Amino acid sequence: MTKVKAHIYGETHANHAYQNDQHTAEIEVTTTDNYINEAQIVERYDVSDLTKRYQNREYFQHSLRAEFKLLNYSADDPEQLNSPYEIVNTGSRQDEKQLHLNSSTLDVLYTNNVSVLLEPPQKDLAEQFWTIVDNQCVDNIILLAKGNEKISEFYPMLDDILRINYFEIYLDSAERMNKNIMLLTLNLQNKTTQSIRQIKMFKTNVSEYPTVQTLCFVVDKASEIRGAPVLIINSKMADLSVCGVLTVCLNVIYAIKNGSPFSVLGNAMVANKNNRRFFKNCDDYELCYKVLERYLEAVQTYDFIE
């Protein structure tokens, strides 16, 4: 049995149920040396359990390595996900793993409310792309671009209108949120139904791998509307592992906001069995926990704890 001091997170809400000041909180975690119970690490838990993991750093590091080992094992052996330990309901739409658009194929991976487009659509696929956005009621798009990479063939520039058979899309505003993120507000008009929907596109612009702060900002803004579907678009120059991190974090945040149990590992398993490049090493996987920790600090962690 190990007793540790609470991790100090800085400012939190004054009236939260779990006090997080300078006093010592004793967290008891069952562990025997470096042994991690495999059945425990695949179980779902709540935000209170997650914060306890962060507080016991030694146990957290052991657990992290065990989780990544199991993550790799599950990707090598698909039958592992059918074992009694697989208790995560992914909500995946098995009939829509791939969308064949004209002569090209765009891989669209679905996990709960988050979809991943593995490459940006070319201009000749713009209509099919916006049909997906409209049909799936996507409200937020995260476009991962690197440096000065130009990706604008499927959406209009400011004061311009993209006219295609059944849709008209125009850029209503462009706002720089910080040095790495541009918020593009697009209006999508379906000419058949005469409906107009507003779409927010968060376009990253980073020279290297996005920082924890940048990723935290993106997931925070993209998850503001509870349960709203999010589409992540990876560019040719961006690291695909960022898509995996964002997918896991968004699904976990949705669960936290809904008061539902979740599993970081379970969500990563779902992403990884679709594409092994999402988590190439333990650092990629650990980034999920780092982003979630930063997010919980920023949005008053213990407001979620009853």
Side-chain angles (χ1 to χ4, degrees):
M1 202 69 81
T2 303
K3 294 183 179 180
V4 299
K5 291 186 177 182
H7 179 65
I8 304 304
Y9 281 90
E11 294 185 4
T12 56
H13 194 281
N15 296 318
H16 48 64
Y18 183 104
Q19 294 298 321
N20 190 38
D21 51 23
Q22 299 295 323
H23 77 283
T24 298
E26 293 186 342
I27 309 297
E28 295 186 344
V29 181
T30 302
T31 179
T32 304
D33 297 327
N34 294 341
Y35 174 74
I36 303 294
N37 189 317
E38 181 179 292
Q40 291 180 346
I41 66 175
V42 297
E43 289 180 348
R44 291 182 291 179
Y45 40 87
D46 59 22
V47 68
S48 178
D49 296 324
L50 179 58
T51 57
K52 290 178 182 178
R53 291 189 177 202
Y54 290 133
Q55 291 160 7
N56 189 339
R57 289 294 173 175
E58 181 180 359
Y59 178 82
F60 172 75
Q61 289 299 323
H62 292 324
S63 179
L64 180 70
R65 289 191 290 270
E67 287 183 18
F68 183 70
K69 183 177 180 180
L70 186 58
L71 178 62
N72 274 338
Y73 175 64
S74 68
D76 291 333
D77 180 10
E79 295 302 318
Q80 170 69 17
L81 292 177
N82 296 322
S83 74
Y85 294 151
E86 176 53 28
I87 57 177
V88 179
N89 180 14
T90 67
S92 298
R93 304 164 195 169
Q94 299 296 333
D95 59 333
E96 297 185 31
K97 289 297 181 187
Q98 291 188 332
L99 298 180
H100 297 274
L101 307 179
N102 293 340
S103 60
S104 301
T105 299
L106 294 181
D107 291 328
V108 182
L109 310 178
Y110 294 93
T111 58
N112 294 334
N113 290 319
V114 184
S115 306
V116 178
L117 191 61
L118 298 183
E119 61 181 53
Q122 301 301 312
K123 189 174 183 179
D124 61 334
L125 299 177
E127 181 177 355
Q128 289 87 342
F129 169 78
W130 288 109
T131 300
I132 295 171
V133 171
D134 198 42
N135 288 345
Q136 301 295 333
C137 299
V138 172
D139 288 328
N140 295 297
I141 297 173
I142 300 173
L143 176 57
L144 300 174
K146 189 173 182 180
N148 295 319
E149 186 179 8
K150 302 297 183 182
I151 307 175
S152 60
E153 294 185 332
F154 65 96
Y155 64 90
M157 304 302 288
L158 197 60
D159 299 325
D160 191 15
I161 299 177
L162 176 62
R163 292 184 173 90
I164 44 186
N165 288 339
Y166 301 106
F167 299 99
E168 285 189 357
I169 306 100
Y170 63 93
L171 182 57
D172 186 58
S173 65
E175 177 186 359
R176 182 163 294 283
M177 308 298 289
N178 57 44
K179 66 178 183 178
N180 294 320
I181 301 171
M182 178 75 75
L183 172 58
L184 307 177
T185 302
L186 300 156
N187 288 327
L188 172 64
Q189 180 179 1
N190 186 319
K191 291 188 284 189
T192 301
T193 63
Q194 294 300 309
S195 62
I196 299 178
R197 295 178 51 236
Q198 193 169 86
I199 312 294
K200 292 183 177 180
M201 180 185 292
F202 300 91
K203 183 180 179 182
T204 66
N205 182 19
V206 294
S207 56
E208 299 297 334
Y209 202 90
T211 65
V212 171
Q213 183 178 2
T214 297
L215 294 176
C216 180
F217 182 89
V218 170
V219 297
D220 181 29
K221 295 301 180 182
S223 63
E224 282 183 339
I225 302 177
R226 185 173 299 185
V230 176
L231 175 61
I232 303 170
I233 304 175
N234 194 64
S235 73
K236 294 180 180 179
M237 294 179 62
D239 194 322
L240 188 61
S241 62
V242 179
C243 293
V245 173
L246 290 174
T247 300
V248 169
C249 291
L250 284 167
N251 280 325
V252 168
I253 289 170
Y254 285 141
I256 290 175
K257 288 185 174 183
N258 290 327
S260 304
F262 56 86
S263 167
V264 173
L265 175 60
N267 279 286
M269 281 178 159
V270 173
N272 218 37
K273 71 179 181 180
N274 285 320
N275 195 308
R276 285 293 304 273
R277 293 179 295 162
F278 280 141
F279 302 103
K280 299 186 295 296
N281 53 59
C282 192
D283 289 341
D284 291 338
Y285 180 60
E286 185 178 11
L287 189 57
C288 295
Y289 281 103
K290 289 182 177 179
V291 172
L292 288 170
E293 182 178 25
R294 182 65 177 265
Y295 170 81
L296 291 175
E297 292 175 11
V299 298
Q300 319 302 344
T301 309
Y302 303 107
D303 287 348
F304 292 115
I305 303 177
E306 296 180 353

